[in-house]
Amino acid sequence: GAVVSQHPSRVICKSGTSVKIECRSLDFQATTMFWYRQFPKKSLMLMATSNEGSKATYEQGVEKDKFLINHASLTLSTLTVTSAHPEDSSFYICSAKTGTTYEQYFGPGTRLTVT
Amino acid sequence: EDKVVQSPLSLVVHEGDTVTLNCSYEVTNFRSLLWYKQEKKAPTFLFMLTSSGIEKKSGRLSSILDKKELFSILNITATQTGDSAVYLCALGFSGYALNFGKGTSLLVTP
């Protein structure tokens, strides 16, 4: 149980284009989903927290107009990187939780490369 | 400034060795401390600690939290090559967001 999927696992896009990444909880309802970014040999950096049906809460320094997050249902959240630039190239991981536990279940991540 | 500091940053041991990974922190207003194992992609949950001094154990892995000295340790006994991974420590705050340390990269050699 507690499986989270992400799609795509890897994407290459040209500078200036937008990319959408999907995060799905496959066997549970995720009241809250989180989006992280991870640079090589660095830790997971929280970008935003999204609760189903409400606007995402972004961490300081994360541009909400650049990283659009939608959490339309209890099993799906999307992260759209708009007008991507090479510096947006990174590993993006989502996680999901339910209820009042702190335990989060992570997706397998999406490797974004912007050329 | 890092709220969660893990040490060592990397470690190489031989199969069968016992390792102790450290996680220290400077804040006290967290709700839980969590340990994750990250191999190639998604971190997988290991332990969640909320109370000081109570050891949690799962097979060869165990962990304990010391709220007085502001640290937690993760012990792995009789290490195996499959234990090779990055071990992440995170603090959970209100709102359920996790603040991760940089991780300890463990390599277990045959």
Side-chain angles (χ1 to χ4, degrees):
Chain A
V3 179
V4 177
S5 70
Q6 268 184 254
H7 177 80
S9 58
R10 189 179 291 267
V11 59
I12 300 172
C13 71
K14 290 189 176 180
S15 192
T17 61
S18 294
V19 174
K20 181 185 281 188
I21 303 170
E22 291 187 350
C23 176
R24 292 182 186 271
S25 57
L26 299 185
D27 52 2
F28 68 102
Q29 293 187 324
T31 50
T32 308
M33 286 185 166
F34 303 87
W35 287 95
Y36 294 85
R37 186 172 178 176
Q38 188 174 33
F39 292 101
K41 300 192 185 298
K42 298 288 186 183
S43 186
L44 294 164
M45 185 187 76
L46 179 66
M47 297 175 67
T49 302
S50 86
N51 293 297
E52 184 264 339
S54 58
K55 288 184 178 180
T57 302
Y58 290 81
E59 295 299 301
Q60 193 172 10
V62 178
E63 299 175 58
K64 62 179 181 181
D65 294 330
K66 179 164 186 64
F67 298 100
L68 301 178
I69 291 172
N70 184 280
H71 191 166
S73 76
L74 284 171
T75 59
L76 173 65
S77 176
T78 59
L79 167 68
T80 301
V81 183
T82 63
S83 187
H85 287 99
E87 57 265 31
D88 298 325
S89 299
S90 190
F91 193 55
Y92 293 87
I93 305 182
C94 73
S95 69
K97 65 174 288 299
T98 189
T100 56
T101 178
Y102 277 87
E103 187 177 337
Q104 296 178 18
Y105 302 98
F106 285 83
T110 296
R111 172 73 59 193
L112 169 64
T113 302
V114 184
T115 60
Chain B
E1 185 179 341
D2 291 342
K3 289 181 179 176
V4 182
V5 178
Q6 291 187 246
S7 63
L9 287 180
S10 64
L11 189 58
V12 181
V13 300
H14 292 297
E15 262 192 318
D17 288 351
T18 293
V19 296
T20 298
L21 310 182
N22 297 285
C23 174
S24 64
Y25 53 88
E26 297 180 352
V27 296
T28 56
N29 61 334
F30 65 97
R31 304 289 179 88
S32 298
L33 185 145
L34 296 90
W35 283 96
Y36 283 85
K37 176 183 181 182
Q38 186 176 24
E39 293 179 79
K40 290 185 179 177
K41 292 185 177 178
T44 53
F45 173 79
L46 294 176
F47 297 109
M48 182 168 70
L49 306 162
T50 53
S51 300
S52 193
I54 299 175
E55 183 184 54
K56 292 218 171 176
K57 201 169 171 61
S58 176
R60 296 178 294 102
L61 276 66
S62 63
S63 184
I64 196 163
L65 173 63
D66 186 328
K67 285 189 171 182
K68 183 179 177 185
E69 300 299 327
L70 308 184
F71 75 94
S72 173
I73 58 171
L74 175 68
N75 274 322
I76 308 175
T77 59
T79 52
Q80 301 171 358
T81 54
D83 295 327
S84 297
V86 175
Y87 290 84
L88 298 167
C89 171
L91 295 181
F93 295 90
S94 63
Y96 302 103
L98 296 181
N99 190 320
F100 284 87
K102 288 187 169 65
T104 292
S105 178
L106 173 66
L107 177 62
V108 181
T109 61

